[in-house]
Amino acid sequence: MDDRFGDNPFFVLELEVGCTSMDVMRQADKLIGMLELGVEKAATYPTPAGDKPRTVDKVRAARARLLVPEKRFFDEIWAKARAVDGAAAQAAGPDLFGALWWR
Amino acid sequence: MSGAAIIIVFFVLRVLVGTIGVGGLGSQEPRDRIERDFGFLLLWVLLGPAWLASWVGGIVDLNPWLLGTALALTPVMLPWALCRRITMPLGLVRMTYWIARLSMYVLGRDRYGGPLLAATVAFRQRPQSERTRAWLRGRYEKLKELRGGSATGWAVLLDEDDDDREMGQSRMEAAAWFDWRVSPAVGRRMVGEWLACRAIEQQHWRAALAVARRRESKLFWAGPKVLQKLGVSVSELAQAASRGTLDVVLAATGSRPAFGGSPALEVTEAVAQRALRDAHPPAGVSLRLALLRCAHREQWQAVLDEVSASTEKRAQAPAPTGDALADAVTTHLFVKSRPVTSAVELHRFGRAWEDVLYRDDTRAALVGRARALGVNNPEQVFERIEGEVTDAIAALVGEVDMGRDIAEPSTLVTMAAEEVRDQRVEALELCVGQIAGRVAANRRLPTVDEFEEFAVMLHLYDRVARSAADGRELAYSQIGSQLTDWACWLWNDRQQYSLANAIFRFCAVEGLRTNHIELARINLDNIGCRGG
């Protein structure tokens, strides 16, 4: 769970920050079932940093985190992020060194 | 025969123009050029007609003797063309070196280092054996005096590791401080082109523009006497430095060697101007001609197109919404997902988090939410977030140029910047202290290693200058006089006139920029010294 945005359990489970523990359990079970059946819609989830692939392990880890109050509070803070234009694209400058005649 | 006649007439005119001093400010310093032109003229007068006649006779009569003579004379008549078009692209290192030794016209400003530069370019064209590498390094290490050409060649030789571009940049910048009179034009152009590529890679558009525009400033060094003639005093230079227009004045007086004309630099100017959304970026025929003259022009064209497109869809910083936590977290995502390019952006990021972590109302609301969730110790969570934020800021402070005043500084960022600045000042002091100790003990390094120390020092100096608004002043006040002593020692005891002159030049310009007028004046006087 290093990526505060891409791996945030609220985004993985597509839940609002005010959801209950029951909502967490129900949503996790539903997503695991869909993933095991290979439902395409469940294969990715949206985050403010762009779409990410969803796996059964990720869903289980998200469920476990949201059931621990300290971890849930921490993740709630990061889940407040809004999508930012251009945030998904890592803007690296072009490499022109190979275009120099002497290199 | 008419070809030889045209070349001879051209050089006769050049020598005449140089001798009668029609070259304006250039007439102050064209002596070596007149000598060079005269030498070339003499060579063509004596051998040019015979060489061309041998070619014509050999081809028309299919005479092997005449063809052999023509071929044998070619390295003497057109050594640089032979290197540039044949031996360098083929990667023939030793042959390039020996033929380039004959190229007094193109490489004469660095008689021994210039051919090494050519050999190094040949070395880079294809995989070479360890023996060849050792031979080339050995040639550099045996140089009696390092000049602009050999400094550039050394930087090119070590520029193999793309992950170490920072140090490569410092070597190129160190080479750019050498006097134009000891730097072959081809080497200066290479330095300019490398620095332009680096600025484009880092998306430092203002730096790219500055490098590109340095191609055209006058070539001639204006010493104190010339400054006087031009009506520019040292205190006026200092004023220009404080107004941020020093580079303009220095370019006008020619104290910073220009990189010379290069199509790559012309295209760089267009790229930078488009990225900066200049109202009148270069376009049309001149840009097309520059692109046509560029090696790998399709790559330069792609960069131009990419920059034009990216300025349309540039990521915008998230606008504040009034929800302090949402704003802070969104700004966090924004700065983590793309390179942060300005200190203003970084301070905005710091202030957004300060509004969450240190403002009573937002903190109380968060504590309330934590209690509702059943969190026993919300302070632990805050500490963890604070740690993540300060780590992110510390990493970014090292990347961003913090060297200017900010209207609304963030305490978190300022504290992190001070810590980074102190560490960097310590590293710079250590480096210059070691040099000073070596000078005191008269411990000599091979010339290329002295240059390497200059490059390392520039690297550390630049890091300090970029770490805080007062970074440059702090750095110069710590090391200015020790650097001057080092350069004096290189001049007096080691006869490394060119390297010493480059360091004097650096000390003079930085002294003016940081308002250390007396030290700047000493170094300006030192630049005017003649050695050898």
Side-chain angles (χ1 to χ4, degrees):
Chain A
M1 285 285 171
D2 283 341
D3 184 349
R4 300 282 167 245
F5 304 100
D7 291 341
N8 191 295
F10 287 100
F11 299 141
V12 173
L13 298 180
E14 292 186 59
L15 287 170
E16 296 294 322
V17 287
C19 65
T20 63
S21 301
M22 189 59 76
D23 294 334
V24 173
M25 299 296 286
R26 203 179 298 132
Q27 179 72 353
D29 288 345
K30 185 179 124 191
L31 287 170
I32 289 169
M34 287 168 81
L35 285 167
E36 283 173 351
L37 288 171
V39 177
E40 199 182 327
K41 208 177 106 186
T44 59
Y45 59 95
T47 80
D51 287 358
K52 302 279 174 186
R54 184 190 274 131
T55 61
V56 171
D57 286 347
K58 260 190 183 178
V59 173
R60 287 199 181 112
R63 178 176 60 190
R65 277 187 74 82
L66 291 189
L67 295 176
V68 181
E70 281 77 12
K71 289 181 180 171
R72 175 177 171 145
F73 177 53
F74 183 77
D75 291 329
E76 267 193 27
I77 289 174
W78 297 104
K80 288 268 189 178
R82 303 185 310 273
V84 175
D85 283 345
Q90 285 281 343
D95 184 351
L96 273 170
F97 289 95
L100 295 174
W101 65 268
W102 46 273
R103 235 174 147 261
Chain B
M1 229 51 63
S2 59
I6 289 167
I7 291 171
I8 289 166
V9 168
F10 173 72
F11 282 100
V12 166
L13 286 174
R14 272 182 68 118
V15 170
L16 282 175
V17 165
T19 311
I20 60 177
V22 183
L25 182 61
S27 61
Q28 302 285 334
E29 296 291 347
R31 195 184 178 86
D32 82 317
R33 205 175 71 189
I34 295 169
E35 288 166 3
R36 206 171 43 141
D37 285 355
F38 187 72
F40 203 70
L41 177 65
L42 200 65
L43 179 74
W44 272 84
V45 167
L46 292 177
L47 291 179
W51 178 64
L52 286 172
S54 305
W55 271 117
V56 172
I59 291 168
V60 171
D61 301 340
L62 288 175
N63 184 327
W65 290 105
L66 285 177
L67 276 176
T69 309
L71 275 174
L73 281 175
T74 301
V76 180
M77 302 307 294
L78 294 172
W80 177 248
L82 198 60
C83 289
R84 176 76 182 81
R85 299 293 163 199
I86 298 173
T87 61
M88 278 157 75
L90 289 174
L92 304 171
V93 179
R94 289 180 178 80
M95 192 182 281
T96 301
Y97 174 78
W98 291 113
I99 295 176
R101 286 286 297 266
L102 301 169
S103 177
M104 292 309 293
Y105 189 73
V106 175
L107 303 173
R109 288 189 177 132
D110 189 354
R111 203 173 153 193
Y112 300 102
L116 272 177
L117 169 64
T120 308
V121 173
F123 179 81
R124 297 292 309 261
Q125 302 307 307
R126 65 179 171 92
Q128 304 280 353
S129 66
E130 276 308 310
R131 214 172 132 214
T132 308
R133 177 188 295 272
W135 177 84
L136 198 53
R137 281 190 78 109
R139 285 270 160 194
Y140 276 107
E141 281 159 9
K142 279 182 210 157
L143 278 174
K144 281 188 182 159
E145 188 195 353
L146 193 85
R147 293 181 155 216
S150 36
T152 307
W154 181 252
V156 172
L157 182 67
L158 298 192
D159 178 37
E160 285 181 292
D161 184 0
D162 286 348
D163 294 333
D164 195 16
R165 290 255 167 88
E166 270 191 43
M167 199 51 223
Q169 183 174 352
S170 299
R171 283 190 201 101
M172 289 292 177
E173 278 172 357
W177 281 104
F178 279 76
D179 193 306
W180 70 274
R181 289 168 299 188
V182 295
S183 306
V186 61
R188 276 187 280 118
R189 260 201 310 276
M190 286 163 68
V191 170
E193 288 168 354
W194 195 99
L195 290 173
C197 289
R198 173 71 173 157
I200 291 173
E201 181 191 53
Q202 293 183 300
Q203 302 187 30
H204 290 171
W205 305 118
R206 295 204 180 280
L209 197 59
V211 169
R213 288 188 171 160
R214 212 173 132 185
R215 74 184 185 277
E216 281 171 351
S217 51
K218 291 188 185 75
L219 287 176
F220 307 103
W221 156 243
K225 280 181 190 165
V226 179
L227 287 180
Q228 212 173 359
K229 268 189 191 171
L230 288 167
V232 182
S233 67
V234 173
S235 58
E236 276 173 321
L237 280 177
Q239 278 174 12
S242 65
R243 285 197 303 269
T245 55
L246 179 68
D247 285 347
V248 179
V249 176
L250 290 172
T253 55
S255 70
R256 295 194 78 175
F259 294 131
S262 154
L265 291 181
E266 283 178 53
V267 180
T268 299
E269 185 174 10
V271 168
Q273 284 186 316
R274 284 188 188 184
L276 293 166
R277 300 183 187 187
D278 193 290
H280 303 289
V285 179
S286 64
L287 180 59
R288 264 185 237 129
L289 281 176
L291 273 168
L292 277 175
R293 283 156 52 219
C294 277
H296 305 283
R297 68 185 68 100
E298 62 291 341
Q299 285 191 44
W300 287 97
Q301 180 69 60
V303 169
L304 258 177
D305 296 343
E306 198 179 308
V307 165
S308 302
S310 65
T311 48
E312 304 297 320
K313 54 171 186 180
R314 186 179 291 173
Q316 296 291 322
T321 58
D323 180 344
L325 178 59
D327 287 346
V329 178
T330 306
T331 310
H332 197 110
L333 168 65
F334 184 70
V335 299
K336 291 279 272 188
S337 57
R338 48 182 283 286
V340 176
T341 51
S342 80
V344 175
E345 206 176 298
L346 189 53
H347 278 280
R348 194 185 298 135
F349 169 57
R351 285 199 309 275
W353 272 115
E354 282 161 18
D355 283 347
V356 173
L357 294 169
Y358 309 125
R359 230 174 62 188
D360 291 342
D361 54 339
T362 40
R363 193 154 174 132
L366 282 171
V367 169
R369 173 66 184 154
R371 298 273 183 236
L373 286 170
V375 176
N376 291 325
N377 191 357
E379 292 304 321
Q380 266 185 353
V381 176
F382 290 135
E383 277 171 24
R384 199 170 152 207
I385 290 174
E386 196 177 336
E388 292 212 11
V389 172
T390 47
D391 285 352
I393 288 173
L396 291 168
V397 158
E399 303 295 321
V400 177
D401 185 354
M402 307 293 291
R404 62 190 177 119
D405 290 317
I406 298 291
E408 293 178 77
S410 146
T411 313
L412 278 175
V413 173
T414 306
M415 282 164 60
E418 279 173 4
E419 198 173 320
V420 168
R421 184 199 62 188
D422 291 347
Q423 286 167 359
R424 290 179 175 184
V425 168
E426 204 178 321
L428 178 65
E429 282 176 344
L430 191 68
C431 167
V432 177
Q434 280 175 349
I435 294 172
R438 205 161 53 70
V439 170
N442 197 23
R443 193 149 40 83
R444 298 167 177 226
L445 292 182
T447 315
V448 283
D449 290 336
E450 297 281 4
F451 172 73
E452 195 68 11
E453 294 225 323
F454 180 42
V456 170
M457 190 284 302
L458 279 186
H459 177 62
L460 297 173
Y461 184 90
D462 184 56
R463 280 160 55 90
V464 177
R466 286 161 51 88
S467 65
D470 62 347
R472 189 173 295 276
E473 283 78 4
L474 185 65
Y476 193 81
S477 62
Q478 302 288 324
I479 63 159
S481 56
Q482 283 171 307
L483 277 187
T484 307
D485 291 345
W486 177 34
C488 289
W489 176 73
L490 286 171
W491 185 284
N492 294 325
D493 291 28
R494 297 214 52 194
Q495 287 76 46
Q496 291 296 329
Y497 302 118
S498 304
L499 178 57
N501 182 280
I503 299 171
F504 288 143
R505 193 179 296 268
F506 169 80
C507 289
V509 171
E510 288 301 303
L512 289 168
R513 287 177 80 173
T514 56
N515 216 24
H516 289 83
I517 301 300
E518 196 44 47
L519 203 49
R521 193 188 300 277
I522 291 169
N523 280 289
L524 276 170
D525 286 340
N526 285 342
I527 295 168
C529 292
R530 282 195 168 277

